[in-house]
Amino acid sequence: MSGKRLVLADSLAEEGLKILRAASGLVVEDCSARSRDELKESLAGAAGLIVRSATRADADLLDSADSLEVIGRAGVGLDNIDVETATRRGIAVLNAPVGNAISTAELSLALLLAAARRIPAADRSVREGRWEREAFRGAQLSGKTLGVLGAGRIGSEVIPRARAFGMRVLVADPFLTAERATDLGAELLSLDELLPRADFLTIHVPLTDETRGLLGADELTRMQPSAILINAARGGVVDEDALADALHAGRLAGAALDVFSVEPFPADHPLRSAPGVVLTPHLGAATPEAQREVAVEIARSVRDALLEGDFRTAVNLPGVGLVDRARVDPVLDLARRLGAVLSELTDGRCRRIALRFGGGLERVLRLIAASAVEGYLSRSLAGPLNLINSLVLAADRGIEVTRARIGVVTGYAGIIELSASDGEDELVVVGVLENDRHPRLLRIGTFHVDVEPRGNLLLVSNRDVPGVIGQVGTLVGATGVNIAEFHQARNPETGEALAVLALDDPLPAGVVAELRELEAVREVRQVSLDA
């Protein structure tokens, strides 16, 4: 049985396994029962890896994966994956952000109710033979204010459920617009504005460098003493020691946590003895429904990435929430080809690459720039190079990459202006997509040309004198290589010209050397572009 090998480091629901095993071109290897050392051995030659929370896909593990293209996380959190190392190696990292959204949102409300009504403590009291109604007075939710930190997929599911309880909802999210907040039935505020107004605060942000310790001692101090904090997102977003101090000191009424900075939760952690706390062992996705949905979601994403090259949902792809591939792919293809042409003309040496684009896809400018840089670096890099890591590798080489929008574009489906500068000289190439999505190369430096940037291009810089076109055509024709297009651009003011030939096959090196010997020829460059 042949195909790309996909390693399962952790167990996956049967619904996801069926999708992967039914995919022609994939060979699924279940390594969930193997040791870490055995897993490392299994990763040699594997194209894909799927993990859940148990396996750490860190640099040590990835060092054993010499052919990895995709890492899939059956869940939303990525803190057990070294995304930086994966990105540098050109490995797409996928997750399943939708599958467990409902289950986690419901758990957040369950934790809120459990903490507000002190249900776990009351249950324990009854089981121990007591009947202490007065000791467990709680708070009703109706009429109270819920602060939601992060209104992504899970946070936006929490909001309508909280409103069904009659709660007012405030939301803090730097990526949310006021209009979207209104649509959700919430009021958008900054975190500083939200904290003192919330009776309850529920957290729904990922763990990143920006969110680690987001709620520390200062933030907790700004909350009401009667407030209750709920975290079913990621451990580490809340400073747990500061939270324990606030609870022990009575500066906060309670908390309910499903996630922790260290899991399993340490036996000696001060939160274990803090009053008013509900603690659960990371149960956000612990429902059969969530496990099925997550497994199906990640299985489809990994399958499509490995077999169709569809990396649009990769979290480390420089462009999230892309429009359909029919619109994006021709633009990326043109950008990559222009980058390759520019690299040949500058010998792959520059300090700055600048992209300007017009044509209605401006919101994915970073992705278009990544494709252009991929084309530019392809001439000089032998290692893994793709949309995932091209911008990182450019930065490693001290190349600054900028991007900007061109104003209104008429007559074309898209236009790309790409330039490379070494600090002194700058060279610009311009390409367009015609309305049928057909690519054309329209400018090289100061010369206006019109040729399809495909296959093999021969660029001949020459003096604008009689006979040059004939000499070039004769030498090329003698090789038996067919000339698909021949465009001669002239600059009457300088007396210089540029001939661009589209060839069906590349010219032998000896013929290129002969062309350079022609008296009127300044330089000859040959660029091989994939068909």
Side-chain angles (χ1 to χ4, degrees), residues 115-130:
R117 300 303 301 267
R118 305 184 64 188
I119 293 172
D123 173 81
R124 185 166 56 249
S125 172
V126 172
R127 290 177 184 277
E128 292 173 352
R130 298 188 299 276

mmCIF file with all atom_site columns, all heavy atoms in Angstrom, residues 115-130:
data_model
loop_
_atom_site.group_PDB
_atom_site.id
_atom_site.type_symbol
_atom_site.label_atom_id
_atom_site.label_alt_id
_atom_site.label_comp_id
_atom_site.label_asym_id
_atom_site.label_entity_id
_atom_site.label_seq_id
_atom_site.pdbx_PDB_ins_code
_atom_site.Cartn_x
_atom_site.Cartn_y
_atom_site.Cartn_z
_atom_site.occupancy
_atom_site.B_iso_or_equiv
_atom_site.pdbx_formal_charge
_atom_site.auth_seq_id
_atom_site.auth_comp_id
_atom_site.auth_asym_id
_atom_site.auth_atom_id
_atom_site.pdbx_PDB_model_num
ATOM 1   N N   . ALA A 1 115 ? -20.141 27.687 40.553 1.00 0.00 ? 115 ALA A N   1
ATOM 2   C CA  . ALA A 1 115 ? -19.480 28.625 41.468 1.00 0.00 ? 115 ALA A CA  1
ATOM 3   C C   . ALA A 1 115 ? -20.480 29.601 42.076 1.00 0.00 ? 115 ALA A C   1
ATOM 4   O O   . ALA A 1 115 ? -20.406 29.929 43.274 1.00 0.00 ? 115 ALA A O   1
ATOM 5   C CB  . ALA A 1 115 ? -18.377 29.381 40.724 1.00 0.00 ? 115 ALA A CB  1
ATOM 6   N N   . ALA A 1 116 ? -21.433 30.066 41.257 1.00 0.00 ? 116 ALA A N   1
ATOM 7   C CA  . ALA A 1 116 ? -22.398 31.047 41.750 1.00 0.00 ? 116 ALA A CA  1
ATOM 8   C C   . ALA A 1 116 ? -23.310 30.456 42.826 1.00 0.00 ? 116 ALA A C   1
ATOM 9   O O   . ALA A 1 116 ? -23.658 31.128 43.803 1.00 0.00 ? 116 ALA A O   1
ATOM 10  C CB  . ALA A 1 116 ? -23.237 31.582 40.589 1.00 0.00 ? 116 ALA A CB  1
ATOM 11  N N   . ARG A 1 117 ? -23.684 29.196 42.673 1.00 0.00 ? 117 ARG A N   1
ATOM 12  C CA  . ARG A 1 117 ? -24.598 28.558 43.623 1.00 0.00 ? 117 ARG A CA  1
ATOM 13  C C   . ARG A 1 117 ? -23.870 27.606 44.584 1.00 0.00 ? 117 ARG A C   1
ATOM 14  O O   . ARG A 1 117 ? -24.512 26.927 45.358 1.00 0.00 ? 117 ARG A O   1
ATOM 15  C CB  . ARG A 1 117 ? -25.693 27.791 42.862 1.00 0.00 ? 117 ARG A CB  1
ATOM 16  C CG  . ARG A 1 117 ? -26.547 28.667 41.959 1.00 0.00 ? 117 ARG A CG  1
ATOM 17  C CD  . ARG A 1 117 ? -27.227 29.810 42.699 1.00 0.00 ? 117 ARG A CD  1
ATOM 18  N NE  . ARG A 1 117 ? -28.095 29.353 43.764 1.00 0.00 ? 117 ARG A NE  1
ATOM 19  C CZ  . ARG A 1 117 ? -29.404 29.137 43.608 1.00 0.00 ? 117 ARG A CZ  1
ATOM 20  N NH1 . ARG A 1 117 ? -29.976 29.342 42.432 1.00 0.00 ? 117 ARG A NH1 1
ATOM 21  N NH2 . ARG A 1 117 ? -30.128 28.737 44.635 1.00 0.00 ? 117 ARG A NH2 1
ATOM 22  N N   . ARG A 1 118 ? -22.564 27.573 44.504 1.00 0.00 ? 118 ARG A N   1
ATOM 23  C CA  . ARG A 1 118 ? -21.712 26.781 45.404 1.00 0.00 ? 118 ARG A CA  1
ATOM 24  C C   . ARG A 1 118 ? -22.142 25.315 45.428 1.00 0.00 ? 118 ARG A C   1
ATOM 25  O O   . ARG A 1 118 ? -22.189 24.653 46.478 1.00 0.00 ? 118 ARG A O   1
ATOM 26  C CB  . ARG A 1 118 ? -21.733 27.378 46.798 1.00 0.00 ? 118 ARG A CB  1
ATOM 27  C CG  . ARG A 1 118 ? -21.329 28.861 46.825 1.00 0.00 ? 118 ARG A CG  1
ATOM 28  C CD  . ARG A 1 118 ? -21.258 29.412 48.210 1.00 0.00 ? 118 ARG A CD  1
ATOM 29  N NE  . ARG A 1 118 ? -20.197 28.745 48.981 1.00 0.00 ? 118 ARG A NE  1
ATOM 30  C CZ  . ARG A 1 118 ? -20.009 28.914 50.291 1.00 0.00 ? 118 ARG A CZ  1
ATOM 31  N NH1 . ARG A 1 118 ? -20.800 29.744 50.964 1.00 0.00 ? 118 ARG A NH1 1
ATOM 32  N NH2 . ARG A 1 118 ? -19.047 28.277 50.919 1.00 0.00 ? 118 ARG A NH2 1
ATOM 33  N N   . ILE A 1 119 ? -22.434 24.791 44.264 1.00 0.00 ? 119 ILE A N   1
ATOM 34  C CA  . ILE A 1 119 ? -22.996 23.440 44.153 1.00 0.00 ? 119 ILE A CA  1
ATOM 35  C C   . ILE A 1 119 ? -22.024 22.349 44.615 1.00 0.00 ? 119 ILE A C   1
ATOM 36  O O   . ILE A 1 119 ? -22.429 21.445 45.363 1.00 0.00 ? 119 ILE A O   1
ATOM 37  C CB  . ILE A 1 119 ? -23.480 23.194 42.704 1.00 0.00 ? 119 ILE A CB  1
ATOM 38  C CG1 . ILE A 1 119 ? -24.677 24.107 42.410 1.00 0.00 ? 119 ILE A CG1 1
ATOM 39  C CG2 . ILE A 1 119 ? -23.838 21.733 42.473 1.00 0.00 ? 119 ILE A CG2 1
ATOM 40  C CD1 . ILE A 1 119 ? -25.123 24.097 40.972 1.00 0.00 ? 119 ILE A CD1 1
ATOM 41  N N   . PRO A 1 120 ? -20.743 22.367 44.199 1.00 0.00 ? 120 PRO A N   1
ATOM 42  C CA  . PRO A 1 120 ? -19.855 21.284 44.656 1.00 0.00 ? 120 PRO A CA  1
ATOM 43  C C   . PRO A 1 120 ? -19.721 21.224 46.179 1.00 0.00 ? 120 PRO A C   1
ATOM 44  O O   . PRO A 1 120 ? -19.752 20.127 46.767 1.00 0.00 ? 120 PRO A O   1
ATOM 45  C CB  . PRO A 1 120 ? -18.517 21.631 43.986 1.00 0.00 ? 120 PRO A CB  1
ATOM 46  C CG  . PRO A 1 120 ? -18.888 22.428 42.786 1.00 0.00 ? 120 PRO A CG  1
ATOM 47  C CD  . PRO A 1 120 ? -20.051 23.242 43.217 1.00 0.00 ? 120 PRO A CD  1
ATOM 48  N N   . ALA A 1 121 ? -19.588 22.384 46.827 1.00 0.00 ? 121 ALA A N   1
ATOM 49  C CA  . ALA A 1 121 ? -19.454 22.392 48.286 1.00 0.00 ? 121 ALA A CA  1
ATOM 50  C C   . ALA A 1 121 ? -20.746 21.922 48.953 1.00 0.00 ? 121 ALA A C   1
ATOM 51  O O   . ALA A 1 121 ? -20.722 21.181 49.952 1.00 0.00 ? 121 ALA A O   1
ATOM 52  C CB  . ALA A 1 121 ? -19.087 23.795 48.775 1.00 0.00 ? 121 ALA A CB  1
ATOM 53  N N   . ALA A 1 122 ? -21.888 22.336 48.414 1.00 0.00 ? 122 ALA A N   1
ATOM 54  C CA  . ALA A 1 122 ? -23.166 21.913 48.976 1.00 0.00 ? 122 ALA A CA  1
ATOM 55  C C   . ALA A 1 122 ? -23.357 20.404 48.813 1.00 0.00 ? 122 ALA A C   1
ATOM 56  O O   . ALA A 1 122 ? -23.837 19.710 49.729 1.00 0.00 ? 122 ALA A O   1
ATOM 57  C CB  . ALA A 1 122 ? -24.309 22.672 48.298 1.00 0.00 ? 122 ALA A CB  1
ATOM 58  N N   . ASP A 1 123 ? -22.971 19.876 47.671 1.00 0.00 ? 123 ASP A N   1
ATOM 59  C CA  . ASP A 1 123 ? -23.062 18.441 47.432 1.00 0.00 ? 123 ASP A CA  1
ATOM 60  C C   . ASP A 1 123 ? -22.200 17.670 48.428 1.00 0.00 ? 123 ASP A C   1
ATOM 61  O O   . ASP A 1 123 ? -22.632 16.663 49.014 1.00 0.00 ? 123 ASP A O   1
ATOM 62  C CB  . ASP A 1 123 ? -22.627 18.135 45.994 1.00 0.00 ? 123 ASP A CB  1
ATOM 63  C CG  . ASP A 1 123 ? -22.522 16.658 45.714 1.00 0.00 ? 123 ASP A CG  1
ATOM 64  O OD1 . ASP A 1 123 ? -23.562 16.030 45.459 1.00 0.00 ? 123 ASP A OD1 1
ATOM 65  O OD2 . ASP A 1 123 ? -21.386 16.127 45.749 1.00 0.00 ? 123 ASP A OD2 1
ATOM 66  N N   . ARG A 1 124 ? -20.993 18.151 48.623 1.00 0.00 ? 124 ARG A N   1
ATOM 67  C CA  . ARG A 1 124 ? -20.075 17.491 49.556 1.00 0.00 ? 124 ARG A CA  1
ATOM 68  C C   . ARG A 1 124 ? -20.639 17.514 50.981 1.00 0.00 ? 124 ARG A C   1
ATOM 69  O O   . ARG A 1 124 ? -20.550 16.541 51.733 1.00 0.00 ? 124 ARG A O   1
ATOM 70  C CB  . ARG A 1 124 ? -18.718 18.175 49.494 1.00 0.00 ? 124 ARG A CB  1
ATOM 71  C CG  . ARG A 1 124 ? -17.638 17.506 50.318 1.00 0.00 ? 124 ARG A CG  1
ATOM 72  C CD  . ARG A 1 124 ? -16.257 18.026 49.949 1.00 0.00 ? 124 ARG A CD  1
ATOM 73  N NE  . ARG A 1 124 ? -16.175 19.474 50.079 1.00 0.00 ? 124 ARG A NE  1
ATOM 74  C CZ  . ARG A 1 124 ? -16.060 20.313 49.041 1.00 0.00 ? 124 ARG A CZ  1
ATOM 75  N NH1 . ARG A 1 124 ? -16.052 19.842 47.796 1.00 0.00 ? 124 ARG A NH1 1
ATOM 76  N NH2 . ARG A 1 124 ? -15.991 21.610 49.242 1.00 0.00 ? 124 ARG A NH2 1
ATOM 77  N N   . SER A 1 125 ? -21.252 18.641 51.346 1.00 0.00 ? 125 SER A N   1
ATOM 78  C CA  . SER A 1 125 ? -21.817 18.778 52.681 1.00 0.00 ? 125 SER A CA  1
ATOM 79  C C   . SER A 1 125 ? -22.943 17.765 52.927 1.00 0.00 ? 125 SER A C   1
ATOM 80  O O   . SER A 1 125 ? -22.999 17.112 53.963 1.00 0.00 ? 125 SER A O   1
ATOM 81  C CB  . SER A 1 125 ? -22.344 20.208 52.876 1.00 0.00 ? 125 SER A CB  1
ATOM 82  O OG  . SER A 1 125 ? -23.056 20.321 54.078 1.00 0.00 ? 125 SER A OG  1
ATOM 83  N N   . VAL A 1 126 ? -23.821 17.634 51.930 1.00 0.00 ? 126 VAL A N   1
ATOM 84  C CA  . VAL A 1 126 ? -24.931 16.687 52.074 1.00 0.00 ? 126 VAL A CA  1
ATOM 85  C C   . VAL A 1 126 ? -24.406 15.256 52.155 1.00 0.00 ? 126 VAL A C   1
ATOM 86  O O   . VAL A 1 126 ? -24.875 14.436 52.960 1.00 0.00 ? 126 VAL A O   1
ATOM 87  C CB  . VAL A 1 126 ? -25.924 16.848 50.905 1.00 0.00 ? 126 VAL A CB  1
ATOM 88  C CG1 . VAL A 1 126 ? -26.977 15.739 50.943 1.00 0.00 ? 126 VAL A CG1 1
ATOM 89  C CG2 . VAL A 1 126 ? -26.610 18.215 50.975 1.00 0.00 ? 126 VAL A CG2 1
ATOM 90  N N   . ARG A 1 127 ? -23.430 14.928 51.329 1.00 0.00 ? 127 ARG A N   1
ATOM 91  C CA  . ARG A 1 127 ? -22.867 13.574 51.344 1.00 0.00 ? 127 ARG A CA  1
ATOM 92  C C   . ARG A 1 127 ? -22.212 13.243 52.691 1.00 0.00 ? 127 ARG A C   1
ATOM 93  O O   . ARG A 1 127 ? -22.147 12.076 53.090 1.00 0.00 ? 127 ARG A O   1
ATOM 94  C CB  . ARG A 1 127 ? -21.845 13.425 50.224 1.00 0.00 ? 127 ARG A CB  1
ATOM 95  C CG  . ARG A 1 127 ? -22.451 13.407 48.830 1.00 0.00 ? 127 ARG A CG  1
ATOM 96  C CD  . ARG A 1 127 ? -21.373 13.333 47.752 1.00 0.00 ? 127 ARG A CD  1
ATOM 97  N NE  . ARG A 1 127 ? -21.966 13.421 46.428 1.00 0.00 ? 127 ARG A NE  1
ATOM 98  C CZ  . ARG A 1 127 ? -22.502 12.384 45.760 1.00 0.00 ? 127 ARG A CZ  1
ATOM 99  N NH1 . ARG A 1 127 ? -22.537 11.185 46.341 1.00 0.00 ? 127 ARG A NH1 1
ATOM 100 N NH2 . ARG A 1 127 ? -23.011 12.558 44.563 1.00 0.00 ? 127 ARG A NH2 1
ATOM 101 N N   . GLU A 1 128 ? -21.729 14.295 53.358 1.00 0.00 ? 128 GLU A N   1
ATOM 102 C CA  . GLU A 1 128 ? -21.089 14.092 54.656 1.00 0.00 ? 128 GLU A CA  1
ATOM 103 C C   . GLU A 1 128 ? -22.096 14.110 55.805 1.00 0.00 ? 128 GLU A C   1
ATOM 104 O O   . GLU A 1 128 ? -21.703 14.100 56.979 1.00 0.00 ? 128 GLU A O   1
ATOM 105 C CB  . GLU A 1 128 ? -20.011 15.154 54.851 1.00 0.00 ? 128 GLU A CB  1
ATOM 106 C CG  . GLU A 1 128 ? -18.836 14.985 53.890 1.00 0.00 ? 128 GLU A CG  1
ATOM 107 C CD  . GLU A 1 128 ? -17.837 16.136 53.964 1.00 0.00 ? 128 GLU A CD  1
ATOM 108 O OE1 . GLU A 1 128 ? -18.156 17.143 54.666 1.00 0.00 ? 128 GLU A OE1 1
ATOM 109 O OE2 . GLU A 1 128 ? -16.782 16.057 53.318 1.00 0.00 ? 128 GLU A OE2 1
ATOM 110 N N   . GLY A 1 129 ? -23.410 14.178 55.491 1.00 0.00 ? 129 GLY A N   1
ATOM 111 C CA  . GLY A 1 129 ? -24.436 14.043 56.509 1.00 0.00 ? 129 GLY A CA  1
ATOM 112 C C   . GLY A 1 129 ? -24.949 15.343 57.081 1.00 0.00 ? 129 GLY A C   1
ATOM 113 O O   . GLY A 1 129 ? -25.726 15.335 58.043 1.00 0.00 ? 129 GLY A O   1
ATOM 114 N N   . ARG A 1 130 ? -24.559 16.475 56.480 1.00 0.00 ? 130 ARG A N   1
ATOM 115 C CA  . ARG A 1 130 ? -25.016 17.765 57.013 1.00 0.00 ? 130 ARG A CA  1
ATOM 116 C C   . ARG A 1 130 ? -26.150 18.324 56.152 1.00 0.00 ? 130 ARG A C   1
ATOM 117 O O   . ARG A 1 130 ? -26.359 17.915 55.025 1.00 0.00 ? 130 ARG A O   1
ATOM 118 C CB  . ARG A 1 130 ? -23.833 18.747 57.090 1.00 0.00 ? 130 ARG A CB  1
ATOM 119 C CG  . ARG A 1 130 ? -22.725 18.278 58.034 1.00 0.00 ? 130 ARG A CG  1
ATOM 120 C CD  . ARG A 1 130 ? -21.672 19.372 58.229 1.00 0.00 ? 130 ARG A CD  1
ATOM 121 N NE  . ARG A 1 130 ? -21.004 19.753 56.984 1.00 0.00 ? 130 ARG A NE  1
ATOM 122 C CZ  . ARG A 1 130 ? -19.959 19.101 56.481 1.00 0.00 ? 130 ARG A CZ  1
ATOM 123 N NH1 . ARG A 1 130 ? -19.489 18.018 57.094 1.00 0.00 ? 130 ARG A NH1 1
ATOM 124 N NH2 . ARG A 1 130 ? -19.389 19.502 55.365 1.00 0.00 ? 130 ARG A NH2 1
#
